[in-house]
Amino acid sequence: MRRLSLPSRQRLFPLTIVIALILCSTLSAKSGDTSPIGERTLMLATTTSVDATGLLNVLADAFKKDTGITLKWIAVGTGAALKQARDGNADVVIVHAKKLEDEFLRDGFGVNRRVIARNFFMIVGPDDDPARAAGSASTAEALGRIKSSGAPFVSRGDKSGTHTRELDLWALAGGKPETAYLETGQGMAETLRVAAERRGYTLTDTATFYGLPGLSGLKSVYENAPELENIYSVIAVNPARVPTARYGEAMAFIAFLTSPRGQKLIGEFKGKGRRPLFEPLAATPGVKGRAFGSPLARGLYPRASTAEMDPRAEPGAPAAVDLVK
């Protein structure tokens, strides 16, 4: 066997390092984690409204500053966000469809659901309101007028939280229209643009409608009804069901969102005309599954008062893994 001379070894050493780095990069890419070594990251699957409005950018910057954890996210409808979590592609979700959330918890994929904020759904349509939906006494009446008029109704059609609520509301009006009913399969921003182009109606959330720049040709025709309340929740992915889930980082994010600091950022975030887009709800009594100051923040964020704090997960969810020893 030929021994390498010292100069030969010196020439080979840099090549060895290059090969090792390529192998490490390949393994990292295959594992799905492209973060720098040592960086703490958290993958969030979220409903589109908190992303489209820009709120997530504000929250991510503050969360990184407080914890050193880099928040990454994919913005899709609630149904798709929960599927991402089931498939092991997310560590935590922000969603707004209680029926889908309950199923996610019952199936054991989610733990520690906490309510963080709300806004409201609203029906918007052309400026001249050809269906005369404005002035209706109920959401069912407003939708009934739209259906009877034959005016286009543009649906997201994507199994999102908004789409789920829309179908529930159509059921109150005797079912969705058989004609002039369009499904975009897209997010809220694109669906609003299609509705404006088609001079149609659609169901949207107030945050996206008032926070989306450059939108014109649509106005609110019906809002402020109890059945239009839109509650946002955050849920950690259960590491017992998805072993790759970063539960510690997920619970730090939940603690941040439900802390006074996180809630202040949510409440002070504004859209067009300096209009607040989300109402913080973490400490509001009487909201089912409401969020409370998490005891899992290791003292990073202040806890809620004893009267407000409830460490239990949403009924039907698996027991939480307590990180505090």
Side-chain angles (χ1 to χ4, degrees):
M1 182 174 68
R2 179 175 176 269
R3 293 177 59 87
L4 294 174
S5 64
L6 182 57
S8 298
R9 289 180 179 179
Q10 289 174 339
R11 289 193 297 270
L12 183 60
F13 183 66
L15 179 61
T16 304
I17 293 177
V18 171
I19 293 172
L21 289 173
I22 292 173
L23 288 173
C24 288
S25 298
T26 302
L27 289 174
S28 177
K30 287 183 177 180
S31 69
D33 186 358
T34 58
S35 304
I37 296 174
E39 181 184 11
R40 295 180 69 195
T41 62
L42 176 68
M43 179 56 72
L44 165 70
T46 177
T47 180
T48 58
S49 53
V50 292
D51 173 57
T53 57
L55 174 61
L56 266 185
N57 293 313
V58 173
L59 295 175
D61 289 345
F63 181 59
K64 175 68 178 284
K65 182 178 179 180
D66 285 6
T67 66
I69 301 171
T70 298
L71 181 68
K72 302 180 179 182
W73 64 87
I74 177 173
V76 288
T78 288
L82 293 174
K83 186 178 188 305
Q84 288 287 331
R86 288 173 183 266
D87 292 343
N89 298 323
D91 308 303
V92 64
V93 296
I94 293 178
V95 286
H96 66 132
K98 188 65 164 54
K99 185 165 32 177
L100 300 181
E101 295 167 36
D102 287 343
E103 181 181 350
F104 184 70
L105 293 168
R106 283 195 303 269
D107 290 346
F109 285 97
V111 289
N112 296 317
R113 174 187 182 269
R114 298 292 184 262
V115 168
I116 55 171
R118 75 172 177 179
N119 54 29
F120 285 84
F121 289 111
M122 60 196 303
I123 300 172
V124 298
D127 290 333
D128 59 350
D129 187 20
R132 302 292 183 263
S136 298
S138 66
T139 305
E141 182 181 341
L143 291 174
R145 290 185 183 186
I146 294 169
K147 181 166 60 172
S148 298
S149 73
F153 186 93
V154 183
S155 170
R156 285 181 58 165
D158 61 352
K159 298 183 180 179
S160 61
T162 303
H163 182 222
T164 300
R165 180 65 65 87
E166 178 215 314
L167 295 179
D168 290 341
L169 295 173
W170 275 121
L172 299 177
K176 63 186 182 183
E178 295 182 0
T179 60
Y181 183 82
L182 312 175
E183 294 185 334
T184 66
Q186 301 293 319
M188 196 69 257
E190 184 59 27
T191 299
L192 282 165
R193 293 188 182 101
V194 172
E197 291 170 1
R198 298 294 185 94
R199 288 183 45 78
Y201 294 83
T202 191
L203 182 75
T204 183
D205 64 281
T206 52
T208 305
F209 185 71
Y210 291 118
L212 190 65
L215 181 67
S216 62
L218 295 174
K219 71 173 185 179
S220 171
V221 298
Y222 188 81
E223 57 183 321
N224 296 326
E227 65 270 22
L228 297 179
E229 184 182 45
N230 182 26
I231 292 178
Y232 293 82
S233 301
V234 60
I235 308 174
V237 175
N238 186 0
R241 193 65 187 267
V242 182
T244 57
R246 297 182 176 184
Y247 182 74
E249 287 83 355
M251 289 308 300
F253 184 56
I254 291 175
F256 167 74
L257 291 178
T258 57
S259 71
R261 171 164 159 75
Q263 290 286 283
K264 186 171 185 287
L265 288 171
I266 292 171
E268 292 181 348
F269 185 76
K270 295 179 174 62
K272 293 181 296 186
R274 306 298 298 164
R275 180 189 182 113
L277 301 182
F278 299 91
E279 178 187 350
L281 281 187
T284 302
V287 179
K288 183 173 177 57
R290 71 183 190 273
F292 300 93
S294 171
L296 302 179
R298 298 180 180 274
L300 183 60
Y301 301 107
R303 297 188 181 194
S305 68
T306 304
E308 293 177 342
M309 189 165 63
D310 182 353
R312 296 171 298 176
E314 183 74 5
V321 179
D322 194 341
L323 300 180
V324 179
K325 302 300 182 184

PDB file of all heavy atoms in Angstrom, residues 226-250:
ATOM      1  N   PRO A 226     -73.650  37.559  16.088  1.00  0.00           N
ATOM      2  CA  PRO A 226     -72.965  36.604  16.963  1.00  0.00           C
ATOM      3  C   PRO A 226     -72.424  35.381  16.225  1.00  0.00           C
ATOM      4  O   PRO A 226     -71.351  34.865  16.579  1.00  0.00           O
ATOM      5  CB  PRO A 226     -74.064  36.207  17.964  1.00  0.00           C
ATOM      6  CG  PRO A 226     -75.029  37.333  17.945  1.00  0.00           C
ATOM      7  CD  PRO A 226     -75.010  37.878  16.554  1.00  0.00           C
ATOM      8  N   GLU A 227     -73.149  34.921  15.202  1.00  0.00           N
ATOM      9  CA  GLU A 227     -72.702  33.721  14.480  1.00  0.00           C
ATOM     10  C   GLU A 227     -71.509  33.997  13.571  1.00  0.00           C
ATOM     11  O   GLU A 227     -70.958  33.069  12.959  1.00  0.00           O
ATOM     12  CB  GLU A 227     -73.858  33.139  13.651  1.00  0.00           C
ATOM     13  CG  GLU A 227     -74.365  34.025  12.528  1.00  0.00           C
ATOM     14  CD  GLU A 227     -75.485  34.953  12.944  1.00  0.00           C
ATOM     15  OE1 GLU A 227     -75.607  35.237  14.157  1.00  0.00           O
ATOM     16  OE2 GLU A 227     -76.249  35.383  12.062  1.00  0.00           O
ATOM     17  N   LEU A 228     -71.068  35.244  13.513  1.00  0.00           N
ATOM     18  CA  LEU A 228     -69.923  35.592  12.680  1.00  0.00           C
ATOM     19  C   LEU A 228     -68.639  35.768  13.485  1.00  0.00           C
ATOM     20  O   LEU A 228     -67.603  36.151  12.934  1.00  0.00           O
ATOM     21  CB  LEU A 228     -70.217  36.881  11.896  1.00  0.00           C
ATOM     22  CG  LEU A 228     -71.370  36.791  10.898  1.00  0.00           C
ATOM     23  CD1 LEU A 228     -71.575  38.135  10.207  1.00  0.00           C
ATOM     24  CD2 LEU A 228     -71.126  35.698   9.863  1.00  0.00           C
ATOM     25  N   GLU A 229     -68.698  35.483  14.772  1.00  0.00           N
ATOM     26  CA  GLU A 229     -67.483  35.564  15.588  1.00  0.00           C
ATOM     27  C   GLU A 229     -66.438  34.577  15.068  1.00  0.00           C
ATOM     28  O   GLU A 229     -66.740  33.438  14.733  1.00  0.00           O
ATOM     29  CB  GLU A 229     -67.803  35.260  17.054  1.00  0.00           C
ATOM     30  CG  GLU A 229     -66.604  35.414  17.979  1.00  0.00           C
ATOM     31  CD  GLU A 229     -66.929  35.061  19.421  1.00  0.00           C
ATOM     32  OE1 GLU A 229     -67.583  34.021  19.633  1.00  0.00           O
ATOM     33  OE2 GLU A 229     -66.531  35.813  20.314  1.00  0.00           O
ATOM     34  N   ASN A 230     -65.192  35.018  15.031  1.00  0.00           N
ATOM     35  CA  ASN A 230     -64.106  34.237  14.430  1.00  0.00           C
ATOM     36  C   ASN A 230     -62.954  34.135  15.427  1.00  0.00           C
ATOM     37  O   ASN A 230     -62.186  35.082  15.611  1.00  0.00           O
ATOM     38  CB  ASN A 230     -63.647  34.924  13.136  1.00  0.00           C
ATOM     39  CG  ASN A 230     -62.559  34.153  12.422  1.00  0.00           C
ATOM     40  OD1 ASN A 230     -62.449  32.944  12.555  1.00  0.00           O
ATOM     41  ND2 ASN A 230     -61.735  34.861  11.657  1.00  0.00           N
ATOM     42  N   ILE A 231     -62.838  32.982  16.079  1.00  0.00           N
ATOM     43  CA  ILE A 231     -61.865  32.803  17.157  1.00  0.00           C
ATOM     44  C   ILE A 231     -60.632  32.064  16.651  1.00  0.00           C
ATOM     45  O   ILE A 231     -60.736  31.015  16.016  1.00  0.00           O
ATOM     46  CB  ILE A 231     -62.499  32.050  18.336  1.00  0.00           C
ATOM     47  CG1 ILE A 231     -63.571  32.931  18.997  1.00  0.00           C
ATOM     48  CG2 ILE A 231     -61.450  31.654  19.363  1.00  0.00           C
ATOM     49  CD1 ILE A 231     -64.289  32.281  20.149  1.00  0.00           C
ATOM     50  N   TYR A 232     -59.469  32.617  16.969  1.00  0.00           N
ATOM     51  CA  TYR A 232     -58.182  32.021  16.581  1.00  0.00           C
ATOM     52  C   TYR A 232     -57.564  31.289  17.774  1.00  0.00           C
ATOM     53  O   TYR A 232     -57.519  31.822  18.878  1.00  0.00           O
ATOM     54  CB  TYR A 232     -57.211  33.098  16.107  1.00  0.00           C
ATOM     55  CG  TYR A 232     -57.617  33.771  14.815  1.00  0.00           C
ATOM     56  CD1 TYR A 232     -58.547  34.815  14.811  1.00  0.00           C
ATOM     57  CD2 TYR A 232     -57.077  33.376  13.605  1.00  0.00           C
ATOM     58  CE1 TYR A 232     -58.924  35.437  13.635  1.00  0.00           C
ATOM     59  CE2 TYR A 232     -57.447  33.992  12.415  1.00  0.00           C
ATOM     60  CZ  TYR A 232     -58.373  35.021  12.445  1.00  0.00           C
ATOM     61  OH  TYR A 232     -58.741  35.638  11.273  1.00  0.00           O
ATOM     62  N   SER A 233     -57.063  30.087  17.492  1.00  0.00           N
ATOM     63  CA  SER A 233     -56.435  29.281  18.530  1.00  0.00           C
ATOM     64  C   SER A 233     -55.048  28.839  18.096  1.00  0.00           C
ATOM     65  O   SER A 233     -54.760  28.738  16.895  1.00  0.00           O
ATOM     66  CB  SER A 233     -57.276  28.033  18.825  1.00  0.00           C
ATOM     67  OG  SER A 233     -58.574  28.378  19.248  1.00  0.00           O
ATOM     68  N   VAL A 234     -54.212  28.567  19.071  1.00  0.00           N
ATOM     69  CA  VAL A 234     -52.898  27.986  18.814  1.00  0.00           C
ATOM     70  C   VAL A 234     -52.869  26.611  19.476  1.00  0.00           C
ATOM     71  O   VAL A 234     -53.382  26.429  20.585  1.00  0.00           O
ATOM     72  CB  VAL A 234     -51.774  28.896  19.345  1.00  0.00           C
ATOM     73  CG1 VAL A 234     -51.884  29.134  20.851  1.00  0.00           C
ATOM     74  CG2 VAL A 234     -50.397  28.330  18.999  1.00  0.00           C
ATOM     75  N   ILE A 235     -52.318  25.623  18.785  1.00  0.00           N
ATOM     76  CA  ILE A 235     -52.284  24.243  19.280  1.00  0.00           C
ATOM     77  C   ILE A 235     -50.894  23.671  19.040  1.00  0.00           C
ATOM     78  O   ILE A 235     -50.366  23.761  17.924  1.00  0.00           O
ATOM     79  CB  ILE A 235     -53.319  23.343  18.577  1.00  0.00           C
ATOM     80  CG1 ILE A 235     -54.714  23.955  18.626  1.00  0.00           C
ATOM     81  CG2 ILE A 235     -53.333  21.952  19.189  1.00  0.00           C
ATOM     82  CD1 ILE A 235     -55.761  23.178  17.826  1.00  0.00           C
ATOM     83  N   ALA A 236     -50.312  23.071  20.066  1.00  0.00           N
ATOM     84  CA  ALA A 236     -49.026  22.377  19.911  1.00  0.00           C
ATOM     85  C   ALA A 236     -49.260  20.990  19.322  1.00  0.00           C
ATOM     86  O   ALA A 236     -50.254  20.330  19.624  1.00  0.00           O
ATOM     87  CB  ALA A 236     -48.325  22.255  21.263  1.00  0.00           C
ATOM     88  N   VAL A 237     -48.348  20.554  18.486  1.00  0.00           N
ATOM     89  CA  VAL A 237     -48.411  19.201  17.945  1.00  0.00           C
ATOM     90  C   VAL A 237     -47.926  18.234  19.018  1.00  0.00           C
ATOM     91  O   VAL A 237     -46.913  18.474  19.685  1.00  0.00           O
ATOM     92  CB  VAL A 237     -47.559  19.076  16.668  1.00  0.00           C
ATOM     93  CG1 VAL A 237     -47.536  17.633  16.166  1.00  0.00           C
ATOM     94  CG2 VAL A 237     -48.102  19.996  15.588  1.00  0.00           C
ATOM     95  N   ASN A 238     -48.662  17.151  19.201  1.00  0.00           N
ATOM     96  CA  ASN A 238     -48.383  16.178  20.254  1.00  0.00           C
ATOM     97  C   ASN A 238     -47.141  15.348  19.915  1.00  0.00           C
ATOM     98  O   ASN A 238     -47.152  14.583  18.947  1.00  0.00           O
ATOM     99  CB  ASN A 238     -49.602  15.263  20.409  1.00  0.00           C
ATOM    100  CG  ASN A 238     -49.468  14.311  21.577  1.00  0.00           C
ATOM    101  OD1 ASN A 238     -48.483  14.306  22.301  1.00  0.00           O
ATOM    102  ND2 ASN A 238     -50.477  13.478  21.774  1.00  0.00           N
ATOM    103  N   PRO A 239     -46.060  15.461  20.697  1.00  0.00           N
ATOM    104  CA  PRO A 239     -44.848  14.698  20.388  1.00  0.00           C
ATOM    105  C   PRO A 239     -45.019  13.195  20.577  1.00  0.00           C
ATOM    106  O   PRO A 239     -44.246  12.404  20.028  1.00  0.00           O
ATOM    107  CB  PRO A 239     -43.817  15.270  21.368  1.00  0.00           C
ATOM    108  CG  PRO A 239     -44.635  15.776  22.509  1.00  0.00           C
ATOM    109  CD  PRO A 239     -45.910  16.286  21.906  1.00  0.00           C
ATOM    110  N   ALA A 240     -46.041  12.793  21.345  1.00  0.00           N
ATOM    111  CA  ALA A 240     -46.310  11.365  21.493  1.00  0.00           C
ATOM    112  C   ALA A 240     -46.856  10.769  20.202  1.00  0.00           C
ATOM    113  O   ALA A 240     -46.733   9.568  19.950  1.00  0.00           O
ATOM    114  CB  ALA A 240     -47.293  11.132  22.636  1.00  0.00           C
ATOM    115  N   ARG A 241     -47.478  11.623  19.382  1.00  0.00           N
ATOM    116  CA  ARG A 241     -48.042  11.170  18.108  1.00  0.00           C
ATOM    117  C   ARG A 241     -47.118  11.491  16.933  1.00  0.00           C
ATOM    118  O   ARG A 241     -47.067  10.749  15.961  1.00  0.00           O
ATOM    119  CB  ARG A 241     -49.408  11.814  17.893  1.00  0.00           C
ATOM    120  CG  ARG A 241     -50.231  11.198  16.771  1.00  0.00           C
ATOM    121  CD  ARG A 241     -50.611   9.759  17.112  1.00  0.00           C
ATOM    122  NE  ARG A 241     -51.257   9.103  16.005  1.00  0.00           N
ATOM    123  CZ  ARG A 241     -52.575   9.066  15.823  1.00  0.00           C
ATOM    124  NH1 ARG A 241     -53.377   9.657  16.703  1.00  0.00           N
ATOM    125  NH2 ARG A 241     -53.087   8.431  14.800  1.00  0.00           N
ATOM    126  N   VAL A 242     -46.412  12.606  17.043  1.00  0.00           N
ATOM    127  CA  VAL A 242     -45.474  13.026  16.001  1.00  0.00           C
ATOM    128  C   VAL A 242     -44.116  13.234  16.678  1.00  0.00           C
ATOM    129  O   VAL A 242     -43.823  14.321  17.189  1.00  0.00           O
ATOM    130  CB  VAL A 242     -45.940  14.326  15.308  1.00  0.00           C
ATOM    131  CG1 VAL A 242     -44.974  14.716  14.194  1.00  0.00           C
ATOM    132  CG2 VAL A 242     -47.355  14.177  14.761  1.00  0.00           C
ATOM    133  N   PRO A 243     -43.280  12.203  16.724  1.00  0.00           N
ATOM    134  CA  PRO A 243     -42.032  12.270  17.494  1.00  0.00           C
ATOM    135  C   PRO A 243     -41.082  13.381  17.072  1.00  0.00           C
ATOM    136  O   PRO A 243     -40.254  13.821  17.871  1.00  0.00           O
ATOM    137  CB  PRO A 243     -41.396  10.889  17.237  1.00  0.00           C
ATOM    138  CG  PRO A 243     -42.542  10.000  16.883  1.00  0.00           C
ATOM    139  CD  PRO A 243     -43.507  10.873  16.137  1.00  0.00           C
ATOM    140  N   THR A 244     -41.178  13.860  15.842  1.00  0.00           N
ATOM    141  CA  THR A 244     -40.276  14.919  15.387  1.00  0.00           C
ATOM    142  C   THR A 244     -40.727  16.310  15.830  1.00  0.00           C
ATOM    143  O   THR A 244     -40.000  17.282  15.631  1.00  0.00           O
ATOM    144  CB  THR A 244     -40.173  14.912  13.844  1.00  0.00           C
ATOM    145  OG1 THR A 244     -41.495  15.064  13.282  1.00  0.00           O
ATOM    146  CG2 THR A 244     -39.557  13.602  13.355  1.00  0.00           C
ATOM    147  N   ALA A 245     -41.905  16.421  16.423  1.00  0.00           N
ATOM    148  CA  ALA A 245     -42.427  17.737  16.819  1.00  0.00           C
ATOM    149  C   ALA A 245     -41.551  18.376  17.883  1.00  0.00           C
ATOM    150  O   ALA A 245     -41.138  17.722  18.846  1.00  0.00           O
ATOM    151  CB  ALA A 245     -43.856  17.593  17.329  1.00  0.00           C
ATOM    152  N   ARG A 246     -41.280  19.634  17.731  1.00  0.00           N
ATOM    153  CA  ARG A 246     -40.469  20.381  18.691  1.00  0.00           C
ATOM    154  C   ARG A 246     -41.393  20.983  19.739  1.00  0.00           C
ATOM    155  O   ARG A 246     -41.794  22.150  19.660  1.00  0.00           O
ATOM    156  CB  ARG A 246     -39.664  21.455  17.956  1.00  0.00           C
ATOM    157  CG  ARG A 246     -38.673  20.847  16.975  1.00  0.00           C
ATOM    158  CD  ARG A 246     -37.837  21.878  16.261  1.00  0.00           C
ATOM    159  NE  ARG A 246     -36.851  21.240  15.406  1.00  0.00           N
ATOM    160  CZ  ARG A 246     -35.925  21.880  14.706  1.00  0.00           C
ATOM    161  NH1 ARG A 246     -35.887  23.200  14.740  1.00  0.00           N
ATOM    162  NH2 ARG A 246     -35.069  21.215  13.951  1.00  0.00           N
ATOM    163  N   TYR A 247     -41.684  20.171  20.724  1.00  0.00           N
ATOM    164  CA  TYR A 247     -42.707  20.531  21.706  1.00  0.00           C
ATOM    165  C   TYR A 247     -42.256  21.674  22.610  1.00  0.00           C
ATOM    166  O   TYR A 247     -43.049  22.560  22.955  1.00  0.00           O
ATOM    167  CB  TYR A 247     -43.066  19.309  22.532  1.00  0.00           C
ATOM    168  CG  TYR A 247     -44.159  19.553  23.542  1.00  0.00           C
ATOM    169  CD1 TYR A 247     -45.487  19.693  23.138  1.00  0.00           C
ATOM    170  CD2 TYR A 247     -43.878  19.641  24.908  1.00  0.00           C
ATOM    171  CE1 TYR A 247     -46.488  19.919  24.056  1.00  0.00           C
ATOM    172  CE2 TYR A 247     -44.887  19.868  25.828  1.00  0.00           C
ATOM    173  CZ  TYR A 247     -46.187  20.006  25.402  1.00  0.00           C
ATOM    174  OH  TYR A 247     -47.179  20.227  26.305  1.00  0.00           O
ATOM    175  N   GLY A 248     -40.992  21.645  23.021  1.00  0.00           N
ATOM    176  CA  GLY A 248     -40.493  22.714  23.889  1.00  0.00           C
ATOM    177  C   GLY A 248     -40.604  24.069  23.229  1.00  0.00           C
ATOM    178  O   GLY A 248     -41.074  25.047  23.837  1.00  0.00           O
ATOM    179  N   GLU A 249     -40.196  24.141  21.965  1.00  0.00           N
ATOM    180  CA  GLU A 249     -40.277  25.394  21.225  1.00  0.00           C
ATOM    181  C   GLU A 249     -41.735  25.799  20.981  1.00  0.00           C
ATOM    182  O   GLU A 249     -42.085  26.987  21.047  1.00  0.00           O
ATOM    183  CB  GLU A 249     -39.543  25.267  19.883  1.00  0.00           C
ATOM    184  CG  GLU A 249     -38.026  25.243  19.995  1.00  0.00           C
ATOM    185  CD  GLU A 249     -37.471  23.863  20.326  1.00  0.00           C
ATOM    186  OE1 GLU A 249     -38.281  22.934  20.565  1.00  0.00           O
ATOM    187  OE2 GLU A 249     -36.234  23.716  20.351  1.00  0.00           O
ATOM    188  N   ALA A 250     -42.585  24.797  20.726  1.00  0.00           N
ATOM    189  CA  ALA A 250     -44.005  25.085  20.503  1.00  0.00           C
ATOM    190  C   ALA A 250     -44.641  25.684  21.755  1.00  0.00           C
ATOM    191  O   ALA A 250     -45.407  26.659  21.675  1.00  0.00           O
ATOM    192  CB  ALA A 250     -44.745  23.815  20.086  1.00  0.00           C
TER     193      ALA A 250
END
